[in-house]
Amino acid sequence: MNQPVQPKINVRGIRKQFGDLIVLRHIDLDVMAGEVVALIGPSGSGKSTLLRCLNLLTIPDNGELRIGEDSFVFGKGSRLPGAKVQASFRSRTGMVFQHFNLFPHMTVLQNVMEGPLTVKGMSKTKAQELANQLLAKVGLAEKAQEYPDFLSGGQKQRVAIARALAMEPSVMLFDEATSALDPELVAEVLQVMRDLAREGMTMIIVTHEIAFAREVASKVIFMRDGVIVEQGPALQVIDQPAEEATRSFLSHFHTRS
Amino acid sequence: MYKWEFGILWNYRWILLDGTKITVLLTLSVIVLGLLVGLIAALAQLSNFRTFRLGSWAFIELFRCTPLLVLLLWFYYALPILLGIEMTAYTAAVVTLSLYGGSFYAEIIRGGIISLDRGQTEAGLALGMRPLHVMRRIVLPQAIKRMSPPLMNQSIIQFKNTSLVSVLAVPDLLYQGQVAATDTYRPLEVYTIVAIIYLLILVPMTAFAKRAEHKLNKSN
Ligand SMILES: Nc1ncnc2c1ncn2[C@@H]1O[C@H](COP(=O)(O)OP(=O)(O)OP(=O)(O)O)[C@@H](O)[C@H]1O
Ligand SMILES: [Mg+2]
């Protein structure tokens, strides 16, 4: 008997509140292995918060989360996962931030080596080999010895992607990876993401690049006010949204490249 | 017109040198120990545990808001009675000055840590690093750069503060000066020399701190 295929990521009833502000109301979400999900929606709709809940940078108030073998239940009566458990869980998901957050006191190479060295306890030689390989992959082999301050935004973000990949994560989370970039630098970062998607990486991408989402994502999720308003195949949600809210949001963008 | 007689102090050169040595040694010890205390208190302040935060807050307030002279006397005369232990004047001086300095260092270190972009911590956590690793590998190396000018200033103040230990008869520079002054009936000469020795050590140190601060500002 074939087992029914289980989603890679499983989110049930996730809820998050900051003070009086309910940011996530009741989020259900399934992501299959190798799937690329684009998360779109207006500012303040809770996209970043949802993404951060997925690697526990923000701890949900309620709900359930499972990625691969790791699962958590949040809310009354359930214990908060300890620092050690959180850390090992996070080491299996990669996260890329809008503002790169590279470590300015380390060279590009050291940035990429940091995770394998301190988290995995990898040997220096091996970590360096891996880092060089990943830097070549994102097209920055010759920048290995530079410090981040001397790179362009696009280069910084590619280093940040290499740094996340160095942990060999099973899922990559992107929070507006190109929003802080000058327009002419966006393409080089999107290209790296496109390659990753093609290699079968499971990805959740918060983005305002609707055309990119349409091209690369298999599924698009539209969020507003802390709820998922609409989700479905990328072409369907972007070209023929079922909900008025989605249509109105998309009308602000050119949706074709 | 007062007739200066510095010649007579030549006989006291070794005593004054000994005093200077004690002062410098004391300063170095209380800077190192104080930084350690400050780091621990600062981390406790930033901890998720309420008890740590409260304890650290109480410690910092207590030591920052009590005059150093009072603390010194209390630690030397009162604490041993309370605890039923014996403490040499030198030990009492080191302990008091380290805790006192540590309470000031703590605020500087805490400030340096929280001034760092939260994204740095998050990037470390996202890689799967444990909070203490993030602190040691990511946050502190960057924060230390920002903290070093105020830490140097505080250390210079600590150097001057050591002169107060003479009240406990710790044979530091000022104490030896007092001895020489009583012996010679020449307080004017003695204290002038003592002041000059403090100056000779502190002026270069201050200049060094200034330069380091300037360099840092340029590199940012
Ligand atoms: N740590 C926090 N404390 C308090 N409020 C927060 C916190 N994080 C987010 N919020 C609030 O939650 C709401 C949703 O924020 P979130 O960053 O998830 O939105 P977003 O969809 O990513 O928006 P954007 O497109 O602007 O990035 C916002 O109103 C924000 O101010
Ligand atoms: Mg956001």
Side-chain angles (χ1 to χ4, degrees):
Chain A
M1 267 292 286
N2 273 344
Q3 286 268 310
V5 187
Q6 263 222 336
K8 175 90 196 162
I9 301 175
N10 215 248
V11 172
R12 283 293 167 268
I14 289 284
R15 182 191 145 89
K16 182 69 195 181
Q17 184 165 355
F18 292 113
D20 287 339
L21 182 70
I22 304 174
V23 178
L24 298 176
R25 280 173 192 277
H26 187 99
I27 303 288
D28 292 332
L29 175 68
D30 288 319
V31 180
M32 308 303 287
E35 199 169 23
V36 176
V37 175
L39 202 51
I40 62 174
S43 182
S45 56
K47 306 180 297 292
S48 296
T49 307
L50 174 56
L51 208 64
R52 294 162 57 85
C53 281
L54 292 181
N55 73 353
L56 305 186
L57 277 183
T58 299
I59 305 280
D61 297 333
N62 275 300
E64 292 172 38
L65 164 66
R66 182 184 61 76
I67 299 186
E69 312 275 287
D70 304 295
S71 62
F72 304 97
V73 179
F74 308 98
K76 277 211 184 71
S78 58
R79 278 207 11 213
L80 210 81
K84 210 168 161 177
V85 175
Q86 286 187 31
S88 93
F89 173 67
R90 288 193 198 104
S91 73
R92 291 186 279 279
T93 58
M95 182 146 195
V96 175
F97 301 87
Q98 179 174 0
H99 296 288
F100 330 123
N101 300 349
L102 291 179
F103 307 133
H105 58 303
M106 299 181 188
T107 63
V108 163
L109 188 71
Q110 287 168 334
N111 264 274
V112 182
M113 288 167 64
E114 184 61 19
L117 276 183
T118 44
V119 179
K120 288 190 168 172
M122 195 182 276
S123 76
K124 222 170 173 166
T125 353
K126 267 191 138 174
Q128 192 163 342
E129 195 179 315
L130 173 66
N132 276 319
Q133 211 175 306
L134 287 166
L135 285 173
K137 181 184 168 115
V138 298
L140 289 172
E142 78 284 5
K143 298 287 183 191
Q145 300 306 329
E146 286 285 8
Y147 279 88
D149 284 349
F150 295 95
L151 303 183
S152 73
Q155 291 170 334
K156 280 183 193 162
Q157 196 59 297
R158 284 186 283 153
V159 173
I161 294 174
R163 179 177 67 179
L165 289 175
M167 290 303 294
E168 299 173 314
S170 64
V171 172
M172 285 284 284
L173 310 171
F174 293 85
D175 193 359
E176 303 203 27
T178 58
S179 294
L181 300 179
D182 294 335
E184 72 273 18
L185 302 176
V186 169
E188 61 190 67
V189 173
L190 292 184
Q191 187 54 43
V192 170
M193 292 166 67
R194 193 178 283 124
D195 292 344
L196 268 179
R198 208 165 284 150
E199 287 167 21
M201 177 63 81
T202 310
M203 309 188 353
I204 302 185
I205 302 171
V206 173
T207 185
H208 289 296
E209 302 283 338
I210 304 295
F212 177 75
R214 184 178 180 278
E215 173 205 335
V216 174
S218 37
K219 179 153 115 189
V220 168
I221 293 175
F222 173 68
M223 275 182 79
R224 204 181 68 173
D225 300 332
V227 294
I228 293 179
V229 174
E230 179 168 1
Q231 58 176 313
L235 295 185
Q236 183 192 309
V237 173
I238 291 173
D239 293 345
Q240 288 138 17
E243 299 291 328
E244 177 51 38
T246 319
R247 209 169 303 139
S248 136
F249 172 74
L250 286 170
S251 69
H252 301 297
F253 298 91
H254 299 287
T255 53
R256 313 249 173 160
S257 28
Chain B
M1 192 51 198
Y2 186 79
K3 204 164 153 284
W4 294 86
E5 275 282 5
F6 280 108
I8 197 167
L9 290 181
W10 188 242
N11 295 331
Y12 291 88
R13 61 192 185 281
W14 297 119
I15 288 189
L16 291 179
L17 189 68
D18 276 351
T20 309
K21 268 195 229 156
I22 295 274
T23 291
V24 169
L25 211 72
L26 189 62
T27 305
L28 290 179
S29 328
V30 302
I31 286 175
V32 171
L33 290 174
L35 283 171
L36 203 68
V37 169
L39 180 64
I40 293 169
L43 291 180
Q45 279 269 283
L46 298 169
S47 150
N48 286 327
F49 297 104
R50 221 178 110 82
T51 331
F52 285 6
R53 287 200 305 268
L54 260 159
S56 169
W57 172 83
F59 158 73
I60 292 172
E61 290 303 310
L62 190 72
F63 278 84
R64 285 206 315 177
C65 301
T66 314
L68 179 53
L69 196 50
V70 175
L71 285 172
L72 276 168
L73 293 170
W74 193 86
F75 267 73
Y76 185 48
Y77 294 109
L79 185 67
I81 299 172
L82 271 182
L83 297 182
I85 52 167
E86 276 186 45
M87 220 185 333
T88 65
Y90 190 81
T91 310
V94 169
V95 170
T96 313
L97 278 167
S98 299
L99 292 174
Y100 181 78
S103 70
F104 286 88
Y105 288 140
E107 285 294 280
I108 296 172
I109 294 172
R110 190 182 71 92
I113 288 174
I114 58 175
S115 76
L116 204 69
D117 178 14
R118 172 104 191 113
Q120 289 292 309
T121 302
E122 292 189 342
L125 289 176
L127 285 175
M129 294 169 80
R130 308 258 286 277
L132 270 179
H133 274 137
V134 173
M135 191 51 76
R136 214 186 63 218
R137 306 264 318 167
I138 312 295
V139 176
L140 282 181
Q142 296 182 63
I144 279 170
K145 251 181 90 172
R146 303 177 183 203
M147 299 179 311
S148 50
L151 287 179
M152 276 192 255
N153 283 330
Q154 188 59 44
S155 301
I156 287 168
I157 295 172
Q158 276 292 78
F159 185 95
K160 292 191 274 191
N161 281 341
T162 59
S163 64
L164 287 174
V165 304
S166 56
V167 298
L168 305 186
V170 173
D172 76 325
L173 176 56
L174 182 57
Y175 180 84
Q176 301 291 31
Q178 284 167 339
V179 171
T182 331
D183 272 13
T184 57
Y185 301 107
R186 285 277 172 192
L188 209 54
E189 283 84 351
V190 173
Y191 291 129
T192 305
I193 290 289
V194 166
I196 287 172
I197 296 176
Y198 276 111
L199 268 170
L200 281 180
I201 299 174
L202 272 175
V203 168
M205 253 175 83
T206 316
F208 175 77
K210 270 259 156 55
R211 239 191 44 194
E213 185 174 354
H214 189 70
K215 243 192 185 151
L216 225 89
N217 284 340
K218 261 206 321 220
S219 79
N220 286 340

